[in-house]
Amino acid sequence: MSESSVVGLSESLHDIADHRKTGVLRLSVNGRFRMAFFEEGELVYVVSDAPEESLAAYFTRAGRFESAAERLVLFQLEKEVTRKKSLVSLVLEQNLRDAETVRVWLADYAFDVFGRAYDTSDATAKFTGGIQAEHPLPIRIDVSHLILEAVHRMENEGLIRSFVGSLAQCTAPAEGFTGRLTTLPLSFFDGLVASQITAEAKLEDLLIVTGIPEAEVLKALVALRLTGVIEPFHDRRVSDTDRLLRQRQEAVESGFVVDSETAAAASIWRPACSPTKITPAPDHDGRIRRDGAIRSAGAGTARPLGAVAVSRPQAEGRYGPVEAAGFRVHPDGGIRGGCGELCRGGSVLRVGAVPETERHRHARRVRARAG
């Protein structure tokens, strides 16, 4: 089954469960047909016309019928199967095995049938509601349990890798993560992988921290994904913090030192929708220093400043980005220029970037007269 078919079949099964549907799901796999009967959203019966999925042959495998005499009786009973008499009912009538033992076998048989459906690229599924079949021994399997066990039986490693995709992708706990973990019969590998996904996690990191074979990690990821325990695989989500850290690193690599206090203040007031631009700061003579220190304009001494500062929003809701040249962010929200004035209004004058307001011009005239 292709990647889209794997997801499509799983979504069909979840839809049956979520709406507690009753009916039959017809599966066509490599030209052979299977019918899976559901009642109120649970699987109760499976039949298949594939030779490799003969129920009689399945019963004889794995030591279920150990003696040759029992196996001979079983194959004779298979010839007596009619539309009104199933092999299961004949086995129970002949007391070859008790009902609970046969019920466990039928559940395992259903997992095998769906495992083969997931394990091929040529499969289609169609659900028809309102159809019920007579069955002597219903099995009642939850859809999530069915999907989980079917994935465990997948053997096509190429298909599994194709479904997972790039290991540079990430996943994260889905909604209801804890509840699903406690209700699903997870395998050891499933549980080990799930225990490492407490937040967004990179797939290739999971391979390292779990320490189990890659094939088992990938199969566990497919099982957890299709049962809704974890989110679909996706590219890493870049947060504002990630962007700030990357900008800080870029500044350091360019030969500048970023002052932690200033950077912290800038991160508080930086608009989330406007990326901050890193720019070098000139010294008091107008030269650009690249020796690891940034000189505050007019200060006369070298002091490490933030590569970029951002002011508080203006009254009308706009943001005024401010380059580090000549300005220093203070914890009280003002930005001090080289001349020593403290602008508190949230609107900071930056030559060539933020227009000078009438309030700034008036303040400059007042200072000139006072001087």
Side-chain angles (χ1 to χ4, degrees), residues 75-153:
F75 285 117
Q76 289 175 342
L77 292 177
E78 186 181 24
K79 297 177 182 179
E80 299 177 16
V81 172
T82 64
R83 292 176 63 88
K84 294 185 179 181
K85 206 75 166 179
S86 69
L87 181 61
V88 173
S89 60
L90 293 172
V91 167
L92 294 177
E93 288 177 3
Q94 295 294 322
N95 293 319
L96 291 179
R97 290 293 184 275
D98 63 87
E100 288 309 309
T101 298
V102 176
R103 195 191 306 275
V104 172
W105 291 354
L106 290 175
D108 195 66
Y109 172 74
F111 298 148
D112 276 358
V113 170
F114 273 88
R116 288 191 179 91
Y118 273 103
D119 213 24
T120 179
S121 58
D122 181 22
T124 58
K126 181 179 180 181
F127 181 78
T128 304
I131 298 178
Q132 291 182 274
E134 294 184 6
H135 41 77
L137 201 62
I139 50 181
R140 294 286 176 187
I141 300 176
D142 176 77
V143 159
S144 293
H145 186 189
L146 174 63
I147 295 174
L148 188 72
E149 294 294 343
V151 173
H152 289 165
R153 286 159 170 75

Side-chain angles (χ1 to χ4, degrees), residues 100-297:
E100 288 309 309
T101 298
V102 176
R103 195 191 306 275
V104 172
W105 291 354
L106 290 175
D108 195 66
Y109 172 74
F111 298 148
D112 276 358
V113 170
F114 273 88
R116 288 191 179 91
Y118 273 103
D119 213 24
T120 179
S121 58
D122 181 22
T124 58
K126 181 179 180 181
F127 181 78
T128 304
I131 298 178
Q132 291 182 274
E134 294 184 6
H135 41 77
L137 201 62
I139 50 181
R140 294 286 176 187
I141 300 176
D142 176 77
V143 159
S144 293
H145 186 189
L146 174 63
I147 295 174
L148 188 72
E149 294 294 343
V151 173
H152 289 165
R153 286 159 170 75
M154 292 180 68
E155 299 177 350
N156 190 335
E157 291 188 9
L159 185 59
I160 293 173
R161 288 180 181 276
S162 174
F163 178 79
V164 174
S166 171
L167 296 181
Q169 296 182 104
C170 298
T171 188
E175 185 178 355
F177 174 80
T178 304
R180 290 182 182 274
L181 286 182
T182 57
T183 57
L184 283 172
L186 301 177
S187 69
F188 170 77
F189 292 138
D190 297 335
L192 182 59
V193 173
S195 68
Q196 303 300 319
I197 309 175
T198 56
E200 187 177 67
K202 204 171 184 179
L203 303 187
E204 59 186 0
D205 291 341
L206 294 175
L207 295 178
I208 299 172
V209 297
T210 55
I212 60 178
E214 181 176 337
E216 298 298 340
V217 175
L218 298 182
K219 186 178 289 188
L221 286 170
V222 173
L224 294 171
R225 160 71 182 91
L226 294 179
T227 52
V229 175
I230 59 177
E231 294 181 354
F233 310 126
H234 56 264
D235 294 332
R236 184 183 180 190
R237 297 168 182 143
V238 181
S239 65
D240 290 343
T241 301
D242 293 329
R243 281 191 288 269
L244 285 172
L245 291 174
R246 185 171 63 247
Q247 292 164 358
R248 181 188 181 98
Q249 183 62 30
E250 290 172 353
V252 172
E253 291 174 354
S254 298
F256 298 104
V257 173
V258 179
D259 179 42
S260 299
E261 179 183 347
T262 303
S267 69
I268 296 174
W269 300 318
R270 185 181 64 83
C273 59
S274 176
T276 307
K277 180 181 179 182
I278 295 179
T279 57
D283 63 12
H284 66 288
D285 294 325
R287 296 189 300 271
I288 302 298
R289 295 185 57 109
R290 305 186 66 84
D291 58 358
I294 299 177
R295 189 182 299 276
S296 177

Side-chain angles (χ1 to χ4, degrees), residues 62-79:
R64 294 183 180 89
F65 284 97
E66 298 179 359
S67 71
E70 285 182 328
R71 290 196 293 271
L72 180 60
V73 172
L74 182 66
F75 285 117
Q76 289 175 342
L77 292 177
E78 186 181 24
K79 297 177 182 179

